[in-house]
Amino acid sequence: MEITSPWMNEELHAFRDAVRRFVLGEITPHQQKWREQQHVDRELWRKAGEMGLLLADIPEEYGGAGGSFAHMAVVFEELSYGGDTAFGIHVHAIVAHYLLNQGTEEQKRTYLPRLASGEMIAAIAMSEPGAGSDLKGIRTTAVRGPDGYRVSGSKTFISNGYMADLILVVAKTDPAAGAKGVSLLLLETKDNPGEGRHKAGFRVGRILEKVGQKGQDTCELFFDEAHVPLANVLGGEEGRGFAQLMTELPYERTILGVCGVAAIERALQLTVEHTRERKAFGQALIEMQNTRFVLAEVKTEATVARIFIDRCIEDMLAGRMDTVRASMAKYWISDLQCKVVDQCLQLFGGYGYMLEYPIAQMYVDARVQRIYGGANEIMKEIIARSL
């Protein structure tokens, strides 16, 4: 008997059906094309915006669909069930929540409707060549002048970086103030037409060649006195960036947990189907004790993970999800995802090593889950501090 998530209701079931049709029609069939070109088509963003999927949990007054975190959880689950790792809606939604919870009223009304429609695509420029999980080590600076800030530095591993119209840049507005000197700035890429490394402005570097998730446009970004208006400091006040990051990271890490559980469930389903059909030594693989024991373990772990993430989703809906619980969800589920997908791939034998089989694609796509959103070692440190 499958678990019915307690946060689901009739309206969400209808929404799930609509999202599933959209994913199967507009996303799943194009994964190979997007892997080859290293980014999704911009038209997908507009179509998703028309469906109300991009900012499903943002209030209608700001252009969103007016739903809750449950609606976004459904979107993330259905993307995972449909085998998508190219569509950067996750980062897009995260930026929207920075704006909703930390932005000024003017910033919300300027950007949220355009993010909701797909007119603008959002990215977060956080990681640097010398600073990943250690946000205090960032070196990008934003120097204030009479007409705005001049941002200089470089960022790497930036999802949506190639297509982004709006980038939330983590920069030091006061390098001498440590964590209190970090600010978040809203940079519009069209206002910064830098050309070449030595021209002032903003420049997108190469799309990075990754182990997996090749359809996601992950880039290097370069800032050479790129312009950001004074009004585009998130929240209207310098020095609040680090606190804003710490406040909003639980949303991101819970999303990674949601996606991880859905991937685990998909891997189990694909493997059960394969072992029922595949025969060896005159019998179906699923009739062999080793296969049955492995699948029994995976089914148990998938069930435990589902119950845990359902509780996390309920906590998000109730406004009581904290940093420690989100860190637990991010680290434990992503570790489990990699383990489960590996075990499932083994049951496919040689076919599991062929990228034409979804389980192989899931294997290479899963590995980064333990790294981005804060490396799992950092998650354990956060949890340990709560002791």
Side-chain angles (χ1 to χ4, degrees):
M1 182 178 178
E2 297 298 323
I3 295 172
T4 299
S5 296
W7 49 271
M8 286 292 293
N9 57 35
E10 187 175 343
E11 188 267 331
L12 285 167
H13 280 298
F15 180 67
R16 184 182 293 279
D17 288 341
V19 175
R20 182 166 297 175
R21 288 193 299 271
F22 182 83
V23 170
L24 294 178
E26 301 289 347
I27 294 178
T28 302
H30 305 296
Q31 291 297 304
Q32 183 58 37
K33 173 192 173 185
W34 294 336
R35 281 193 285 267
E36 291 172 359
Q37 69 185 27
Q38 295 184 294
H39 61 85
V40 304
D41 299 320
R42 183 170 281 269
E43 182 63 22
L44 174 64
W45 288 92
R46 288 190 280 269
K47 289 180 178 179
E50 291 172 4
M51 280 281 294
L53 304 185
L54 295 179
L55 303 188
D57 59 350
I58 296 294
E60 292 182 27
E61 64 178 301
Y62 299 119
S68 67
F69 182 77
H71 291 81
M72 287 308 296
V74 166
V75 173
F76 299 137
E77 286 181 348
E78 290 303 320
L79 287 170
S80 291
Y81 294 148
D84 173 69
T85 54
F87 192 18
I89 186 175
H90 310 77
V91 172
H92 189 81
I94 291 164
V95 172
H97 274 261
Y98 274 96
L99 279 161
L100 179 68
N101 298 325
Q102 308 292 338
T104 65
E105 189 64 23
E106 181 182 0
Q107 290 167 352
K108 295 176 193 178
R109 297 196 179 279
T110 299
Y111 293 115
L112 286 174
R114 297 159 77 186
L115 296 180
S117 68
E119 175 191 342
M120 296 189 89
I121 299 170
I124 303 175
M126 195 178 302
S127 296
E128 297 183 1
S133 296
D134 178 19
L135 295 177
K136 294 179 181 177
I138 65 167
R139 302 181 67 178
T140 298
T141 59
V143 178
R144 181 169 180 156
D147 64 337
Y149 295 89
R150 295 294 170 179
V151 180
S152 298
S154 63
K155 300 288 184 177
T156 193
F157 313 138
I158 308 305
S159 299
N160 292 352
Y162 178 73
M163 301 183 73
D165 305 289
L166 180 68
I167 301 177
L168 187 66
V169 183
V170 183
K172 287 189 173 178
T173 44
D174 184 357
K180 294 183 178 180
V182 175
S183 301
L184 305 186
L185 307 176
L186 296 160
L187 181 146
E188 291 192 44
T189 59
K190 67 179 177 61
D191 291 338
N192 290 276
E195 296 180 2
R197 188 182 294 271
H198 303 295
K199 295 289 184 68
F202 162 77
R203 184 173 71 87
V204 178
R206 62 193 174 99
I207 297 180
L208 301 170
E209 185 69 26
K210 306 184 294 296
V211 171
Q213 301 198 8
K214 292 180 180 289
Q216 166 60 242
D217 58 309
T218 307
C219 291
E220 298 173 312
L221 304 179
F222 300 97
F223 306 89
D224 184 2
E225 296 193 351
H227 178 257
V228 174
L230 293 175
N232 278 29
V233 179
L234 188 68
E237 183 181 342
E238 288 184 16
R240 293 176 55 201
F242 197 76
Q244 290 167 334
L245 288 166
M246 294 304 102
T247 300
E248 298 303 319
L249 281 172
Y251 181 86
E252 175 180 0
R253 289 165 181 167
T254 303
I255 288 173
L256 293 176
V258 170
C259 296
V261 172
I264 289 167
E265 292 169 338
R266 179 175 185 243
L268 175 60
Q269 179 185 355
L270 290 172
T271 309
V272 169
E273 292 171 356
H274 175 77
T275 55
R276 282 175 176 163
E277 297 170 359
R278 181 72 174 167
K279 294 187 183 299
F281 304 104
Q283 60 181 327
L285 288 180
I286 202 166
E287 295 173 2
M288 297 178 175
Q289 187 181 68
N290 178 69
T291 303
R292 294 167 69 83
F293 280 11
V294 169
L295 291 176
E297 292 172 6
V298 171
K299 174 65 175 177
T300 302
E301 290 169 329
T303 301
V304 172
R306 167 51 63 188
I307 292 170
F308 177 37
I309 200 63
D310 281 345
R311 174 58 188 269
C312 291
I313 292 170
E314 288 183 308
D315 287 346
M316 285 291 293
L317 292 169
R320 58 173 180 257
M321 189 64 170
D322 58 34
T323 299
V324 173
R325 183 84 61 83
S327 299
M328 290 177 180
K330 194 273 172 183
Y331 119 72
W332 184 75
I333 292 171
S334 62
D335 270 5
L336 182 63
Q337 177 183 351
C338 289
K339 173 191 169 187
V340 163
V341 173
D342 182 66
Q343 288 177 304
C344 288
L345 184 150
Q346 186 72 17
L347 293 177
F348 280 75
Y351 294 104
Y353 204 61
M354 301 296 111
L355 280 172
E356 64 187 270
Y357 277 71
I359 195 68
Q361 195 63 56
M362 292 181 73
Y363 180 83
V364 294
D365 289 339
R367 186 57 181 85
V368 74
Q369 288 272 111
R370 294 160 60 188
I371 299 172
Y372 58 21
N376 283 3
E377 291 74 16
I378 301 297
M379 300 301 97
K380 292 177 185 178
E381 181 62 30
I382 291 170
I383 297 163
R385 289 173 187 169
S386 72
L387 301 176

